[in-house]
């Protein structure tokens, strides 16, 4: 998609429900989580899980999507909720795209924004 | 979110009980393939079987706490449905005479399409219909079988809303009774032995950190699939009753082959999904040093699914001997039909062969795409692994044993 990151749909998982972002430049999970919250107006519910030695953070916008950070070293996973309409799914993907582009281009933005 | 549910009670051998009924994890692919397999046979009342077998599961939930009001019990039934990954139910439109129930989300209505190439010919939400009819009967302390499904719509047929309309029957139908926890042998289970670096205890500890409850849609997206924490006796009843009915028409062997094939599909999609998931990479993969460790590792994961304990007795690239302690198929069979005269661990037979096909024929460690072409390549080859059951707990053996070899 860009030189900064790529995203691809997982064809197995419910025909388009799960998207995997691969980040191609150095990045920090904490900063990403912080800016994701800002991009979605602090409405994401946060759940932390320990998978063995991995810490996985799940950010959930109810009835819209879930983002998992930490399950893969190279990026994040976005899972749409089943009832989320196609237009809403696309809008949420684009919000994450814009956020990633900003964050990876300017790793220390002073004002988080979508 | 706070749900009004009964606690799931841990039992020996990794089993779990919900309102005295065993619950086990299976995914949308197995749910699709098992249902599709059973529906291949016409004129045997399979559609009614799928609904009726679910009714008793809804019934036990709303009968489990008789001190609660009907509304409270229906809320428990809805919350249980969501917690266990079946979706969401709105019971607001029913009373003791029936009414209309909606399911804003449905595992069977919405999540089976991932496994289906094409459109469905019939509505897939048999389980929802039965569970709802049974739950309403139980909530109002009516006999099981008090409600009929008058009309229904389902997401699987592209309906915008899923509605199920119940009507009170003048005389209740006689349905399957609850089978409960079933019967095992209470033999002790040995620890993991053999040449492996897998630490089952550590894997179980790591998996305990994952949330396997339904999300706000009442669905469980994990391991790259949609899980259900399903009623074991639902699978048992629909599978064994299918076999009984096929036997009456002289098609017993064919029925058993079909159920073993459903087990192959389970292995391919559920086990394959697990072994290619981020969860596997984080928890199990670091312990795997050789290909055989993948067999030990996936068995360790299986042992948290509630299926009983799978122990690798022998494994090499050519064969596998698997011993299963307290398998859910045997426990349910004995509770429903008494001691078996044939081997009945169909899911386990298919699953064990599937493991070997994935690990040693399919090179699952290379993370292949788990599509139909890959399935055909590894499960329909000239050198496919196949299973033979040599011991069966339902026949009186202390454990079930399966030998897997290349044909």
């Amino acid at each position: 998609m860009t030189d900064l990151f790529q995203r691809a749909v997982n064809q197995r998982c419910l025909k388009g429900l799960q998207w995997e972002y691969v980040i191609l430049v150095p990045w920090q999970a904490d900063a990403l989580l912080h800016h994701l919250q800002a991009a979605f107006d602090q409405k994401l519910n946060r759940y932390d899980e320990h998978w063995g030695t991995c810490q996985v953070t799940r950010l959930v916008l109810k009835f819209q999507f879930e983002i998992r950070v930490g399950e893969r070293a190279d990026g994040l996973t976005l899972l749409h909720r089943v009832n989320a309409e196609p237009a809403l799914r696309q809008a949420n993907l684009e919000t994450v795209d814009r956020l990633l582009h900003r964050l990876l281009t300017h790793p220390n933005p002073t004002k988080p924004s979508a | 979110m706070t749900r009004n549910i009964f606690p799931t009670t841990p039992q020996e051998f990794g089993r779990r009980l919900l309102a005295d009924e065993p619950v086990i994890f299976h995914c949308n692919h197995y749910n699709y393939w098992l249902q599709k397999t059973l529906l291949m046979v016409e004129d045997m009342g399979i559609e009614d079987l799928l609904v009726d077998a679910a009714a008793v599961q809804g019934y036990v939930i709303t009968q489990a706490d008789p001190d609660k009001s009907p509304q409270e019990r229906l809320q428990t039934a809805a919350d249980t449905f969501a917690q266990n990954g079946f979706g969401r139910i709105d019971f607001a439109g029913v009373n003791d005479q029936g009414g209309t129930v909606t399911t804003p989300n449905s595992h069977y209505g919405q999540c089976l399409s991932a496994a289906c190439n094409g459109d469905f010919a019939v509505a897939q939400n048999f389980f929802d219909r039965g569970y709802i009819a049974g739950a309403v009967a139980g909530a109002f302390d009516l006999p099981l079988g008090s409600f009929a499904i008058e009309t229904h719509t389902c997401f699987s047929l592209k309906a915008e809303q899923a509605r199920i309309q119940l009507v009170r029957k003048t005389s209740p139908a006689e349905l399957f009774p609850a089978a409960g926890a079933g019967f095992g042998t209470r033999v002790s289970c040995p620890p993991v032995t053999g040449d492996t670096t897998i630490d089952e205890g550590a894997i179980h500890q790591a998996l305990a950190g994952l949330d396997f409850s339904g999300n706000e849609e009442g669905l469980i997206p994990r391991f790259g699939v949609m899980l259900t924490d399903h009623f074991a006796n639902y699978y048992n009843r629909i599978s064994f009753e299918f076999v009984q009915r096929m036997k009456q028409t002289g098609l017993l062997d064919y029925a058993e082959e079909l159920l073993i094939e459903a087990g192959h599909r389970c292995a391919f999609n559920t086990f394959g999904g697990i072994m290619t998931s981020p969860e596997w990479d984080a928890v199990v993969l670091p312990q795997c040093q050789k290909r055989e460790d993948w067999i030990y590792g996936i068995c360790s994961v299986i042992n948290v699914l509630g299926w009983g304990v799978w122990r690798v007795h022998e494994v090499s690239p050519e064969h596998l001997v698997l011993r299963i302690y307290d398998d859910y198929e045997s426990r349910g069979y004995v509770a429903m039909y008494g001691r078996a005269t044939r081997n009945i661990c169909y899911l386990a037979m298919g699953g064990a062969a599937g493991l070997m096909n994935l690990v040693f024929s399919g090179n699952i460690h290379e993370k292949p795409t788990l599509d139909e072409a890959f399935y055909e390549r590894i499960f329909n080859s000239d050198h496919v692994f196949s299973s033979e059951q040599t011991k069966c707990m339902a026949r009186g053996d202390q454990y079930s044993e399966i030998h897997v070899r290349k044909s």
Side-chain angles (χ1 to χ4, degrees), chain A residues 40-59:
Chain A
F40 290 96
D41 298 328
Q42 309 295 329
K43 291 179 179 173
L44 304 179
N45 292 312
R46 176 173 177 151
Y47 306 93
D48 291 312
E49 296 182 349
H50 295 278
W51 302 3
T53 57
C54 289
Q55 176 167 329
V56 178
T57 299
R58 299 165 54 221
L59 298 176

Side-chain angles (χ1 to χ4, degrees), chain B residues 53-341:
Chain B
V56 67
Q57 306 299 168
Y59 194 76
V60 297
I61 296 297
T62 49
Q63 282 282 287
D65 190 349
D67 293 334
K68 288 184 176 175
S69 70
Q71 286 69 31
E72 288 172 321
R73 292 195 232 176
L74 289 174
Q75 187 59 52
T76 299
D79 285 349
T80 301
F81 196 80
Q83 181 80 0
N84 288 38
F86 298 119
R88 290 186 294 152
I89 303 175
D90 183 352
F91 281 111
V94 291
N95 56 34
D96 64 354
Q97 297 303 308
T100 300
V101 178
T102 60
T103 55
N105 283 100
S106 166
H107 173 89
Y108 277 94
Q110 295 176 298
C111 302
L112 271 54
S113 59
C116 174
N117 293 318
D119 296 331
F120 289 110
V122 297
Q124 298 295 297
N125 62 346
F126 301 100
F127 177 81
D128 301 9
R129 284 176 254 159
Y131 180 90
I132 286 167
V136 175
F140 291 100
D141 286 328
L142 299 170
L144 178 63
S146 290
F147 291 97
I149 311 295
E150 177 111 317
T151 61
H152 62 87
T153 60
C154 179
F155 294 121
S156 63
L157 295 183
K158 304 190 188 310
E160 290 191 4
Q161 287 190 314
R163 294 176 181 273
I164 294 165
Q165 188 180 6
L166 302 177
V167 291
R168 178 88 173 263
K169 288 184 174 181
T170 51
S171 58
E174 189 171 332
L175 302 184
F176 304 108
F183 297 100
T185 58
R186 303 190 67 82
V187 67
S188 60
C189 174
V192 175
T193 57
D195 180 19
T196 184
T197 49
I198 291 294
D199 180 346
E200 181 168 278
I203 290 172
H204 289 185
Q205 193 172 13
L207 291 175
L210 278 70
D211 182 2
F212 287 104
S213 62
N215 61 25
E216 72 277 6
E217 290 190 312
L219 303 172
I220 309 175
R222 283 289 186 187
F223 298 126
V225 294
M226 280 292 186
L227 294 175
T228 48
D229 194 6
H230 215 312
F231 296 96
N233 287 329
Y234 178 73
Y235 294 117
N236 286 332
R237 181 64 77 183
I238 63 177
S239 299
F240 299 142
E241 195 63 24
F242 170 72
V243 171
Q244 300 284 331
R245 295 179 188 188
M246 291 286 276
K247 180 181 176 183
Q248 291 168 6
T249 62
L251 294 172
L252 174 59
D253 291 343
Y254 180 53
E256 292 180 335
E257 285 176 20
L258 287 174
L259 291 177
I260 293 170
E261 169 63 11
H264 291 160
R265 294 287 183 172
C266 171
F268 182 75
N269 291 293
T270 310
F271 302 160
I274 290 171
M275 289 190 281
T276 55
S277 69
E279 288 92 331
W280 176 273
D281 289 347
V283 175
V284 185
L285 185 60
Q287 297 187 20
C288 293
Q289 293 187 358
K290 55 186 182 303
R291 204 81 72 85
E292 286 82 351
D293 293 330
W294 284 63
I295 300 289
Y296 283 96
I298 190 67
C299 285
S300 293
V301 176
I302 289 169
N303 290 341
V304 301
L305 301 180
W307 298 9
V309 177
W310 288 33
R311 281 282 178 260
V312 177
H313 186 64
E314 297 173 23
V315 64
S316 75
E318 287 77 37
H319 84 291
L320 167 69
V321 180
L322 190 68
R323 290 181 175 172
I324 309 177
Y325 295 82
D326 233 19
D327 67 277
Y328 78 85
E329 292 176 289
S330 288
R331 290 187 66 92
Y333 187 94
V334 174
M336 292 173 181
Y337 302 97
R339 181 171 287 195
T341 56

Side-chain angles (χ1 to χ4, degrees), chain B residues 358-385:
Chain B
L358 281 169
V359 172
F360 290 108
S361 299
N363 296 330
I364 192 70
H365 63 285
E366 295 175 355
K367 293 190 183 299
T369 300
L370 297 171
D371 56 16
E372 192 63 22
F374 182 57
Y375 182 88
E376 287 296 318
R377 184 165 68 78
I378 65 168
F379 281 85
N380 289 325
S381 75
D382 291 337
H383 303 294
V384 67
F385 284 97

